[in-house]
Amino acid sequence: MTKVRVRFAPSPTGPLHIGGLRTALYNYLFVREKGGQMVLRIEDTDRNRRVEGAEQYIQEALKWCGIDYDEGPDKGGILGPYRQSDRWEVYKKFALEMVEKGSAYIAFDTEEELDQMRKEKEAEGIHSPKYDASIRNQMTNSLTLSSSEVDRRVSEGEPYVIRFKIPEEGTVMFEDLIRGEVVFNFREMDDKVLIKGDGWPTYHMANVVDDYLMRITHVIRGEEWLSSTGLHILLYEALGWQRDKPQFAHLPLILKPTGKGKLSKRDGAKFGIPVFPMDWKDLEAKEVFPGFKERGFSPEALVNFIAFLGWNPGGEREIYSLSEMGQLFSLDKVSKGGARFDYDKALWFNQQHLMQTDDSILAQEAMPFLNQKGFFPTDLKMVERVCSLMK
């Protein structure tokens, strides 16, 4: 029997948002219930958007919340390295294999040529024209140029990208573990870039290659990646890995407190609520964005709260420890619809967990807050009694 392996694969483009934390939590709960392994993989191929300190923040936030992954950049593992920037050469090799097989091709189109193509198609009444089967044979690529011309351009260092060749007719289908059957029509898909002009892979290429090489059996990720899954399945097939492709589960959105639209990082300031697990110091903006930890939340309360943003084990009970949720978690209990972020409910979860926490533990946790306010009590027993009274 194949050991269950999942991955949490954030990009270090900023702090870990509460939605990303829930994705990590669901992966953790799923794999603990199955007795498998969890990988932390840093997807840092977008070099321009990488933010200093973000990777360390992600690791510290997961550690504070008790989400203990088995392999990662800070832990190692036999299938590493676990940063895509340390693996970048492997992706192009697989992309060139697909070029050889005819499922991908080299494209030399400049930005000016692409802009001109879009303008011409829009003038013909085509809304949001795509680089697809209707376009590719009119463009500058290895499908329209002779092999000698392609070799000459490559050898002379002319910039190029590698695109995936979507079939002209047909569909691709997969069974989502939360949403059921999902079907994509090839006519609605475009020839996505796999390797960019600078030699770095796009998310799609690196994601599929790494999931295969790291033996990932289940991909549990946000709803925003659902539309990319058809392409990912085609990549598995083109690379000859269809028997090893993982099962997919796409999680519902976390909605704004109003219930309208996806909760964003900017909503913290707008609604006066934390949307990060811990304080995030934005060095560029010279701002500090508040976190749940510094607001006095216990990590047990936070993970309990976000677990219930889209999942419920059934029954009326709501207060659970992380280990209890790990024993009960299953993807068939995850809802398809979005869950509204209710900060008052988060406060209630925190209250319930604090009331169940031993006075001695509360006293220890209260000390940093007391020190911040200028109080330095030496009698810990007295602090325990105050905590008991507050409870």
Side-chain angles (χ1 to χ4, degrees):
M1 183 177 177
T2 303
K3 181 180 281 292
V4 172
R5 285 175 59 84
V6 301
R7 76 333 187 251
F8 176 54
S11 298
T13 54
L16 181 62
H17 178 259
I18 211 72
L21 181 63
R22 188 194 62 174
T23 298
L25 175 63
Y26 281 6
N27 274 278
Y28 175 81
L29 295 176
F30 177 80
V31 83
R32 288 298 172 261
E33 187 268 333
K34 301 288 185 184
Q37 297 167 323
M38 178 177 174
V39 173
L40 173 66
R41 186 173 73 223
I42 302 298
E43 300 198 336
D44 58 349
T45 56
D46 191 341
R47 310 301 289 168
N48 295 326
R49 295 180 60 221
R50 183 169 182 164
V51 173
E52 184 181 351
E55 180 181 329
Q56 183 181 358
Y57 177 95
I58 291 167
Q59 293 170 355
E60 289 178 356
L62 294 177
K63 182 179 180 181
W64 179 66
C65 290
I67 300 174
D68 186 23
Y69 46 91
D70 302 284
E71 302 168 29
D74 57 331
K75 292 192 173 185
I78 62 172
L79 298 177
Y82 296 94
R83 290 186 193 90
Q84 289 183 335
S85 58
D86 296 330
R87 306 167 59 87
W88 73 278
E89 292 180 329
V90 73
Y91 309 115
K92 191 169 184 178
K93 176 176 77 77
F94 287 114
L96 289 172
E97 282 184 16
M98 287 190 283
V99 172
E100 287 292 319
K101 295 175 183 176
S103 53
Y105 58 95
I106 293 172
F108 299 97
D109 313 289
T110 64
E111 283 299 321
E112 292 75 18
E113 289 172 327
L114 292 171
D115 287 340
Q116 182 63 30
M117 177 271 288
R118 295 184 190 104
K119 290 176 183 176
E120 290 175 359
K121 294 302 175 183
E122 286 172 354
E124 295 173 13
I126 300 174
H127 180 65
S128 299
K130 303 187 295 291
Y131 200 123
D132 58 10
S134 68
I135 295 292
R136 67 171 77 111
N137 292 330
Q138 304 167 31
M139 304 301 290
T140 311
N141 54 52
S142 58
L143 302 176
T144 59
L145 301 172
S146 67
S147 57
S148 59
E149 176 66 8
V150 171
D151 291 342
R152 182 189 68 78
R153 288 179 178 235
V154 171
S155 64
E156 292 180 358
E158 184 172 333
Y160 67 88
V161 301
I162 298 179
R163 290 181 178 271
F164 188 70
K165 187 179 178 183
I166 296 290
E168 292 188 36
E169 300 286 342
T171 59
V172 57
M173 184 274 289
F174 76 98
E175 192 75 21
D176 191 278
L177 296 175
I178 295 172
R179 299 164 188 279
E181 185 178 289
V182 181
V183 179
F184 296 96
N185 193 303
F186 294 152
R187 292 188 176 185
E188 297 171 353
M189 302 169 69
D190 60 335
D191 293 357
K192 286 280 190 284
V193 173
L194 303 179
I195 303 294
K196 295 177 283 189
D198 59 5
W200 283 84
T202 59
Y203 166 82
H204 306 293
M205 185 67 194
N207 178 279
V208 167
V209 170
D210 283 345
D211 283 347
Y212 171 75
L213 294 179
M214 293 181 183
R215 302 173 191 167
I216 301 303
T217 61
H218 294 77
V219 171
I220 304 170
R221 59 188 178 186
E223 181 182 290
E224 62 269 25
W225 298 114
L226 179 62
S227 60
S228 302
T229 309
L231 169 63
H232 297 172
I233 290 172
L234 291 177
L235 286 171
Y236 274 99
E237 294 174 354
L239 288 162
W241 301 338
Q242 56 265 42
R243 292 182 61 183
D244 298 301
K245 67 177 181 288
Q247 292 182 273
F248 294 91
H250 289 88
L251 307 175
L253 297 176
I254 297 179
L255 305 176
K256 299 175 188 288
T258 59
K260 296 180 180 179
K262 178 184 177 183
L263 182 74
S264 73
K265 297 177 181 180
R266 294 181 294 275
D267 288 326
K270 182 178 179 181
F271 294 102
I273 57 175
V275 294
F276 303 117
M278 307 184 307
D279 279 359
W280 166 253
K281 298 176 178 63
D282 190 320
L283 300 178
E284 188 173 321
K286 296 181 179 178
E287 289 184 77
V288 177
F289 295 91
F292 279 87
K293 179 181 179 181
E294 289 74 14
R295 287 279 182 97
F297 278 77
S298 73
E300 295 83 7
L302 178 57
V303 296
N304 194 169
F305 167 62
I306 63 171
F308 273 68
L309 290 175
W311 170 78
N312 193 308
E316 296 184 3
R317 181 185 170 190
E318 294 182 275
I319 305 302
Y320 290 90
S321 67
L322 188 60
S323 61
E324 288 175 325
M325 290 190 292
Q327 294 169 15
L328 296 168
F329 186 83
S330 63
L331 289 170
D332 61 353
K333 299 285 187 178
V334 175
S335 65
K336 297 181 181 69
R340 184 174 70 88
F341 184 90
D342 184 348
Y343 186 60
D344 288 336
K345 188 70 172 182
L347 291 171
W348 178 84
F349 271 102
N350 198 47
Q351 177 199 47
Q352 297 300 307
H353 276 271
L354 289 175
M355 289 170 64
Q356 294 182 17
T357 302
D358 187 84
D359 294 342
S360 61
I361 296 174
L362 282 181
Q364 291 284 357
E365 293 179 348
M367 291 299 284
F369 293 91
L370 291 170
N371 295 164
Q372 286 174 16
K373 297 297 183 181
F375 298 103
F376 301 92
T378 56
D379 185 354
L380 197 59
K381 288 295 182 182
M382 182 271 289
V383 179
E384 288 181 23
R385 291 195 294 273
V386 172
C387 288
S388 179
L389 287 169
M390 293 297 291
K391 284 164 61 176

